[in-house]
Amino acid sequence: MDESDADFSTVKQHAADNDTLVQLKTDEYLLPGFIDLHVHAPQWPNAGVALDQPLNEWLDTYTFPLEAKYQDTAFAKRVYDDLVAELIGNGTTTALYFGTTHNPANSELAMACITHHQRGFIGKVAMDNPDQTPEYYRDASAQSAVADTESFIQQLTELNQTADIKQTPVITPRFVPSCTPESLKGLGELAKKYDLPVQSHCSESDWENGYALEHYHMRDAEVLDQYGLLTDKSVMAHGTLLNQSDLDTFKDRGVAIAHCPISNVYFGNAVLPVSKLLHQDVKVGLGTDLSGGYSPSLYQNIRQAVISSRMLHDGVNAELSPEERGTDNQPISAKNGFYLATVGGAKSLHLKTGQIKAGYLADLQVVKSPLRAFEDENMETVFEKIMYHASKSDIKRVYVQGTQAK
Ligand code: GUN
Ligand code: FE
């Protein structure tokens, strides 16, 4: 038995315990793998670039030109191989991806996930609105946006036949402004026909909500709901500007929010009131939003989720009354952030993962203590130090469904 086999038997044994953190050796700990609920795979080459632009200008000037390059399938393969390895390296065992409009490139993303043993949920991006997308990067028509989404579903079925880790297709209208009513309608019908997950952006910016109000006389959540795109398999990114009526709809339909705290600092200029949402039983998980968020690490996003939530008290969301600020909108802890990156994401995708527990998938990360201990430390202290200090180099091994991926 080589060393990795020995490790795997330990992993299996501990996977039977109901714990968040299991000590393996003096300074090595086993944690559940992370679930990244919102990644734009094609934007990886721009991570950290142009974060000072407003959302719509950033899309037009930096993002659409980059995404258009995935017409070149060889370029797609190079980027996607690198990105999936990077996410696995950071402890992310499941990821919900936006691809691009190009299906050959989207298949490369699925193949990269299969090669690197990551559980991918992958969407062919639909964006057919000629008023809000550039001619060089858009679906030719509503019909082709829907037909290409359907053919991507079939492509994944074929790829999955020989894959150990299955990849799931996701219905992906980019967001309300990028799509025509016809494509939104067709995509809603596809989601129902195949009973598939749906992902989009919802209430991320005033500009996006303003577009929905002007063109549909409705909020963007209401537009998505009208077309059958809000279901208990839907994951909506950001949601920072959802009002109480939208949240009631989310709760009623079982829609999850992908909280992207780093991205929200730059593009949303807002803080998601996580405690309030969890108290209202709205599902919430954590997303990097690469490259609206600059970091591929969910540890970094856990930290930002905690830091941002603490700022609610300083009036960042100025419309909240002082009473609201002190109760439901109380700051979240590192443990809450960890919950979002594990259990929250798993619930959003209906997966039995995110916990080290009998009957759950063995999606795991082995993390070395990032800091030296100067005296005996209890597990609480160890956990907090890992949450605040772990980086990629501290993540020694990663397992997805029991297969070693790092
Ligand atoms: N809204 C529409 N497209 C995007 C995108 O690529 N990133 C972010 N953050 N918001 C969007
Ligand atoms: Fe996004």
Side-chain angles (χ1 to χ4, degrees), residues 38-40 43 55 58-59 98 174 200-201 204 237-238 260 263 288-293:
H38 187 57
V39 193
H40 294 271
Q43 297 175 19
L55 178 62
W58 174 81
L59 286 172
F98 275 56
R174 184 172 201 118
S200 191
H201 297 87
E204 175 184 12
H238 306 288
C260 305
S263 172
T288 56
D289 192 24
L290 285 171
S291 67

Side-chain angles (χ1 to χ4, degrees), residues 38-49 58-59 62-72 75-84 87 96-102 105-106 108-110 121-127 137 172 174 199 201 288-293:
H38 187 57
V39 193
H40 294 271
Q43 297 175 19
W44 176 225
N46 269 356
V49 174
W58 174 81
L59 286 172
Y62 296 91
T63 306
F64 293 156
L66 172 59
E67 291 194 15
K69 292 187 184 154
Y70 290 75
Q71 172 97 35
D72 175 352
F75 178 70
K77 181 172 166 43
R78 271 204 300 142
V79 175
Y80 291 159
D81 256 337
D82 189 70
L83 169 66
V84 178
L87 293 181
L96 174 53
Y97 288 109
F98 275 56
T100 61
T101 58
H102 322 94
N106 296 329
E108 288 296 340
L109 177 55
F121 286 70
I122 302 169
K124 174 250 175 291
V125 170
M127 42 190 286
Y137 184 48
T172 307
R174 184 172 201 118
Q199 61 182 342
H201 297 87
T288 56
D289 192 24
L290 285 171
S291 67

